[in-house]
Amino acid sequence: LNLPCPTIAGGKPQVVAAPASEPLKAFIKTLIDRAEKLRTSRVDPSVDNMLKITGDGRKAALDMRLVEPFGEPEPDTKLTLAVQRIKRVWAETREARSTQLVFCDLSTPNPASFNVYDEVRTKLIEAGVTKAEIAFIHDADTDAEKKTLFDDVNAGRIRILIGSTEKMGAGTNVQKRLKAMHELDAPWRPRDLEQRRGRIERQGNMNDEVDLYRYVTEGSFD
């Protein structure tokens, strides 16, 4: 139908790279050792396998506390860079009440342990973002709750919505005020990237130009 869609600033997603911390570099070495052991020894797949190694590598690239629960928070991580950009867009578009999506598949809300969702929300609130303007897609379980949430985002009452590709992909029509989208991790399948991008790069958006950010950690599984 050739309906008007917003253009992507710079013509493509912007890759934002964070340096690898020393604990991450050390952890990557243990993953290399594990992979080498798989190649040279008989390791029961139920004990260790490449899928487990890759999963641990992806978690470590997102935040070391996902693989070392008692680890200390590191400065200059990709979460820190994401919070800075989310806060900046939030402040710059306050008058227009523009909105943002944040995608994270690896570490969803869990009150019993460290998770990226609560960490990002806490850091945003500490940076001055209004708590009432931040929501998790996981808080809406029913169709009625999702409709209410989506209406709040389209109206600019909720300005930062955090979710996973599974829950915030197809059927999530919150594009009216979307100004920026942030991807904190890389999904397994290329089609998941398309689903994410399809939330903001679609007709019905008040913004003529939008920003796409992809956050990576250097020297990691990213």
Side-chain angles (χ1 to χ4, degrees), residues 101-104 163-165 168 181-185 196 199:
L101 293 182
V102 182
F103 278 98
C104 180
S164 63
T165 311
M168 203 161 68
M181 189 180 86
H182 309 264
E183 297 182 85
L184 303 184
D185 55 14
R196 290 178 174 186
R199 297 315 97 211

Side-chain angles (χ1 to χ4, degrees), residues 16-41:
V16 182
S21 66
E22 291 305 318
L24 175 60
K25 292 177 183 177
F27 186 75
I28 293 294
K29 289 181 180 178
T30 69
L31 298 182
I32 294 172
D33 292 340
R34 285 167 59 187
E36 181 66 17
K37 191 173 182 180
L38 291 182
R39 192 179 69 83
T40 60
S41 307

Side-chain angles (χ1 to χ4, degrees), residues 95-171:
E95 187 172 331
R97 300 204 66 76
S98 297
T99 58
Q100 303 177 70
L101 293 182
V102 182
F103 278 98
C104 180
D105 293 353
L106 280 175
S107 177
T108 52
N110 182 354
S113 64
F114 170 84
N115 67 87
V116 167
Y117 282 60
D118 286 316
E119 177 74 0
V120 169
R121 180 170 61 182
T122 297
K123 294 300 182 184
L124 286 171
I125 294 170
E126 290 175 354
V129 176
T130 308
K131 181 179 181 180
E133 293 181 339
I134 307 171
F136 298 163
I137 190 71
H138 298 71
D139 293 336
D141 293 323
T142 67
D143 289 341
E145 290 173 342
K146 287 180 181 178
K147 184 182 185 308
T148 299
L149 177 59
F150 295 169
D151 288 347
D152 284 342
V153 177
N154 280 321
R157 291 185 288 270
I158 297 294
R159 296 186 56 209
I160 300 168
L161 181 60
I162 308 174
S164 63
T165 311
E166 179 182 357
K167 289 184 175 291
M168 203 161 68

Side-chain angles (χ1 to χ4, degrees), residues 188-204:
W188 284 108
R189 301 168 298 193
R191 75 180 186 191
D192 292 335
L193 288 173
E194 293 300 317
Q195 279 295 339
R196 290 178 174 186
R197 188 163 173 167
R199 297 315 97 211
I200 189 170
E201 195 178 5
R202 62 192 296 132
Q203 66 271 13

